[in-house]
Amino acid sequence: MPLNPVEKLKDTTIPEVDFSTAREMQPYLKEPPQMYVGAPGKHGYLRLGFELDARGKSILRDLDRRVPLIAQQELYFDEEMPEMPCLYILSSGGPNVDGDRYQQDITVRKNAFAWVSTGAATKLAEMRFNYSGMIQNIVLEEGAYLEFMPEPVIPCRHTRFISDTRLNVHPTATVFYSEIYMGGRKYYKDGELFEFDILSVCSHGERPDGEQLFREKFVIDPNVVPVRQLGVMGNYDVFANVIVMTPKENAEKIYEATEAYIDREKKLAVGITHLPNDSGLLFKVLGMEPGPVKKIVREFCSKVRMTVKGKPVPPEFPWR
């Protein structure tokens, strides 16, 4: 049977991003009338591959992308580790809207290292028909090192967003994976905190042989479970979640050097725990504004880097 005109436009070379079987997304499967789910320009794909060249320099060897995702050329601006490639992920499509699907595959080869971030915060626009989905596959080979530190995610009113991040990490490698979620556009008109429809975020770690190490998933549905209750967000507006997969001896040193605390004056809360199967650490921060939360995450990353690489993370650029 011949394809209809819409089907002919679909790019079958891009990996499929499908969360339609997720129970929490069942109310949000209606096809957007403007552009179908995953249409060209709405199905972004990015593949990054870092490895050592013949001189032992870590470089971006492999790059593939589909609009609207853009990867800038790697730069070497880290003053403490000038040999480390630093790369920003950008988007030419503005905020994520309903029907957007994204996939990011990042591989760091044997003994290579890299720092990856985003050029700006990820905005999740108001959605009426469908949802926005993101799949991330992060692979670290023997002795590899990666700092993944994107800018915060900002969900607007009636946002529907789901993500799944797979961390496939060799026992000798280290990944610092962070994500920061704001409660919404806090200073928009009369405020827009926790008025999104749903945020579903899943992260899971595994070894190269497929051994499953841990799985963490949180589903935030303010219409079902009040976000302001104790044990969820309470009176805080910003949430940071950090996963560090590293050898056990590194994890023990980082854990001993990290303090868990609640600062009621500055309205900050910090917690740390061990991941199952001696796979690393889980670090969480609650705050009122993104700046102080980002600062704490960066300071924690510096402890990780000092333990693994013997070098600190430099101060953040003033304009970041």
Side-chain angles (χ1 to χ4, degrees):
M1 182 175 65
L3 296 175
N4 63 46
V6 172
E7 291 175 326
K8 290 180 180 179
L9 292 173
K10 293 185 178 181
D11 187 349
T12 57
T13 66
I14 304 176
E16 184 66 27
V17 180
D18 184 17
F19 291 102
S20 59
T21 59
R23 183 176 60 181
E24 64 271 23
M25 306 312 292
Q26 293 304 305
Y28 311 113
L29 300 181
K30 185 176 181 181
E31 191 85 10
Q34 301 89 350
M35 295 182 70
Y36 61 84
V37 173
K42 292 176 64 64
H43 195 164
Y45 176 66
L46 180 64
R47 186 178 73 242
L48 304 174
F50 298 92
E51 66 178 50
L52 299 181
D53 65 8
R55 299 170 297 173
K57 179 181 179 181
S58 187
I59 62 172
L60 178 65
R61 176 73 75 182
D62 184 24
L63 170 62
D64 186 19
R65 72 175 186 88
R66 302 288 189 278
V67 291
L69 292 179
I70 300 172
Q72 288 188 322
Q73 180 179 354
E74 75 272 32
L75 304 172
Y76 294 84
F77 55 68
D78 192 304
E79 295 181 354
E80 297 295 339
M81 287 188 67
E83 70 277 16
M84 183 168 68
C86 303
L87 184 142
Y88 288 109
I89 299 173
L90 307 178
S91 174
S92 63
N96 294 26
V97 300
D98 38 4
D100 281 0
R101 302 291 187 267
Y102 297 95
Q103 179 166 333
Q104 297 180 164
D105 296 338
I106 302 175
T107 300
V108 186
R109 301 294 182 188
K110 182 178 179 180
N111 295 327
F113 41 90
W115 178 91
V116 178
S117 183
T118 54
T122 298
K123 290 86 172 177
L124 307 176
E126 182 173 347
M127 303 177 189
R128 299 181 180 181
F129 301 99
N130 202 261
Y131 64 90
S132 175
M134 163 75 84
I135 284 179
Q136 297 183 119
N137 295 301
I138 298 177
V139 178
L140 272 74
E141 296 183 355
E142 181 180 355
Y145 179 81
L146 173 66
E147 294 174 2
F148 185 80
M149 302 175 64
E151 291 293 301
V153 175
I154 306 175
C156 297
R157 181 180 290 114
H158 295 308
T159 284
R160 300 92 174 259
F161 178 73
I162 183 171
S163 70
D164 184 272
T165 299
R166 180 178 66 97
L167 300 168
N168 185 297
V169 180
H170 191 276
T172 63
T174 296
V175 60
F176 182 96
Y177 174 83
S178 69
E179 47 195 6
I180 299 175
Y181 290 91
M182 298 180 63
R185 295 180 292 182
K186 185 173 182 177
Y187 300 105
Y188 176 74
K189 295 183 179 179
D190 297 326
E192 192 182 84
L193 285 174
F194 304 111
E195 296 185 13
F196 50 82
D197 288 339
I198 193 164
L199 289 182
S200 175
V201 180
C202 180
S203 303
H204 43 105
E206 63 184 35
R207 294 303 184 202
D209 61 3
E211 177 190 2
Q212 299 300 303
L213 301 174
F214 65 87
R215 184 175 186 269
E216 181 192 44
K217 181 173 183 177
F218 52 88
V219 178
I220 307 174
D221 187 341
N223 297 312
V224 176
V225 177
V227 178
R228 287 302 189 188
Q229 71 179 6
L230 188 66
V232 186
M233 288 297 293
N235 295 322
Y236 297 102
D237 297 338
V238 182
F239 168 63
N241 196 50
V242 180
I243 295 172
V244 178
M245 295 183 67
T246 191
K248 182 179 179 180
E249 57 272 21
N250 292 342
E252 293 297 336
K253 294 178 183 178
I254 298 165
Y255 184 86
E256 292 299 325
T258 304
E259 178 187 4
Y261 63 88
I262 297 177
D263 189 328
R264 301 192 185 280
E265 181 179 347
K266 296 181 179 180
K267 297 183 178 179
L268 291 166
V270 176
I272 186 170
T273 188
H274 289 279
L275 288 170
N277 299 306
D278 293 327
S279 56
L281 301 167
L282 185 63
F283 181 78
K284 297 179 183 290
V285 185
L286 293 173
M288 300 303 294
E289 302 293 340
V293 172
K294 288 170 57 180
K295 184 175 184 291
I296 292 174
V297 170
R298 193 172 181 85
E299 290 171 349
F300 180 59
C301 184
S302 188
K303 294 178 182 178
V304 173
R305 191 194 288 188
M306 278 294 297
T307 301
V308 179
K309 292 294 184 180
K311 299 177 182 178
V313 172
E316 180 65 287
F317 294 121
W319 58 86
R320 291 286 286 174

